[in-house]
Amino acid sequence: MAQTELFARGALSVIDYACEAGPQTRPFVECHARHSISYVRRGSFAVESRGRTFDLVAGSLFVGHPGDDYVCTHDHYICGDECLSVQFEPELAETIVDRADLWRGVGIPPLAEMMVLGELTQSVARGDSDIGIDEAALAFAARFAGTVIGKTRERISAQMRERRRAVDAAAWIEAHSTEDIDLARVAKRSGISAFHFLRVFANVLGVTPHQYLVRARLKHAARLLAGEERAVTDIALDVGFADLSNFVRSFRRAAGVSPREFRKAARGDRKILQDRIAATAA
């Protein structure tokens, strides 16, 4: 696995990981030295820890705890995945989340709030913004603290066939998120009834197919807002929203700011990020 250190100072580090493992790659063990929150920006993989398996797709979070071992597998996924990992020494981690159980959550489902801010952090890492990468990383961590509490849940163990169906469907939804997609279309592609597909998808990934579709569109929109100058209306239509008002409502609900304010933040308006951190901590 290739890794690039983007930032390292004091108790905070930001590392970019690119893994080319595929179905033929033997499972490998990761032992984490620090607390970490890794944003899966592309691909998919599974993580086994303490007797449980977590399937991660684009938009999921991989939460690491120092000293814990994680077995990563790619046996039923497409080749390759990429993650942006924000890592903390214990003294900083405790100021972000002081609940040990959350740092052992391992796999967090794709949440709109985290996907949008994950894309902002990624745009900073690419050099598309004047915001410091440490600022973006800490805003991402603050959002994690305020969002994930109360949203973790136990999932019933799924059979390998069901896990394959869910992860394959998620990858297809993300790749076709700009299209008109409904439950029946994705279920038909998976070869099972819509009712059964809905239960399988939600059980394996922690979100419904429609929730994942909307979040994939918001993720794509955040990337475009941070990196391009096109009109907000054009971006909304391009990523799959039928009208601007629906897009603005959905984006504000996810990011806590409007698309235009988000673009300003990506361009270096630190006050917006500071306000969001303050709101999360309140």
Side-chain angles (χ1 to χ4, degrees), residues 80-244:
D81 59 82
E82 297 175 359
C83 296
L84 187 68
S85 181
V86 183
Q87 303 185 2
F88 319 89
E89 294 297 336
E91 64 271 19
L92 179 56
E94 289 175 6
T95 68
I96 296 169
V97 177
D98 60 0
R99 282 178 47 184
D101 58 321
L102 288 184
W103 284 114
R104 284 195 156 97
V106 185
I108 306 297
L111 302 174
E113 301 94 324
M114 298 308 304
M115 292 172 77
V116 168
L117 206 51
E119 286 302 314
L120 174 59
T121 307
Q122 183 60 48
S123 74
V124 174
R126 288 195 305 266
D128 294 338
S129 171
D130 291 332
I131 298 172
I133 192 166
D134 52 344
E135 296 172 324
L138 289 174
F140 180 75
R143 192 67 168 173
F144 167 79
T147 299
V148 174
I149 293 176
K151 290 195 176 183
T152 56
R153 69 183 185 90
E154 292 291 323
R155 273 174 279 183
I156 301 170
S157 297
Q159 298 296 319
M160 179 62 75
R161 178 180 293 182
E162 293 181 340
R163 292 173 55 204
R164 287 177 175 171
R165 278 177 170 150
V167 173
D168 177 70
W172 186 87
I173 289 172
E174 190 192 26
H176 296 81
S177 61
T178 60
E179 301 175 13
D180 184 15
I181 297 175
D182 59 19
L183 179 63
R185 180 182 176 189
V186 189
K188 181 178 180 180
R189 182 181 176 277
S190 298
I192 55 178
S193 71
F195 177 72
H196 185 51
F197 173 75
L198 176 60
R199 291 199 305 172
V200 166
F201 193 98
N203 179 47
V204 173
L205 298 180
V207 294
T208 68
H210 182 71
Q211 286 175 321
Y212 189 70
L213 170 63
V214 172
R215 293 168 192 188
R217 288 171 174 169
L218 291 172
K219 172 177 176 283
H220 189 194
R223 186 165 60 248
L224 294 176
L225 286 166
E228 298 187 10
E229 297 294 342
R230 281 191 293 155
V232 171
T233 300
D234 292 341
I235 289 176
L237 297 175
D238 286 350
V239 301
F241 284 89
D243 63 84
L244 179 62

Side-chain angles (χ1 to χ4, degrees), residues 12-150:
L12 176 68
S13 298
V14 181
I15 301 175
D16 184 87
Y17 291 99
C19 178
E20 296 301 326
Q24 305 306 316
T25 305
R26 294 182 62 183
F28 54 89
V29 179
E30 293 184 5
C31 183
H32 289 203
R34 290 170 288 184
H35 292 80
S36 64
I37 309 169
S38 298
Y39 170 64
V40 183
R41 68 171 183 267
R42 186 185 72 82
S44 56
F45 58 100
V47 177
E48 298 174 7
S49 181
R50 295 187 299 279
R52 298 180 61 195
T53 299
F54 301 84
D55 293 279
L56 306 180
V57 296
S60 299
L61 300 181
F62 176 15
V63 182
H65 186 277
D68 285 2
D69 290 340
Y70 304 91
V71 179
C72 297
T73 62
H74 299 75
D75 55 338
H76 58 279
Y77 307 108
I78 57 176
C79 293
D81 59 82
E82 297 175 359
C83 296
L84 187 68
S85 181
V86 183
Q87 303 185 2
F88 319 89
E89 294 297 336
E91 64 271 19
L92 179 56
E94 289 175 6
T95 68
I96 296 169
V97 177
D98 60 0
R99 282 178 47 184
D101 58 321
L102 288 184
W103 284 114
R104 284 195 156 97
V106 185
I108 306 297
L111 302 174
E113 301 94 324
M114 298 308 304
M115 292 172 77
V116 168
L117 206 51
E119 286 302 314
L120 174 59
T121 307
Q122 183 60 48
S123 74
V124 174
R126 288 195 305 266
D128 294 338
S129 171
D130 291 332
I131 298 172
I133 192 166
D134 52 344
E135 296 172 324
L138 289 174
F140 180 75
R143 192 67 168 173
F144 167 79
T147 299
V148 174
I149 293 176

Side-chain angles (χ1 to χ4, degrees), residues 135 269-279:
E135 296 172 324
D269 189 333
R270 288 171 170 80
K271 186 178 185 304
I272 294 174
L273 277 183
Q274 291 165 355
D275 289 346
R276 292 307 307 147
I277 293 174

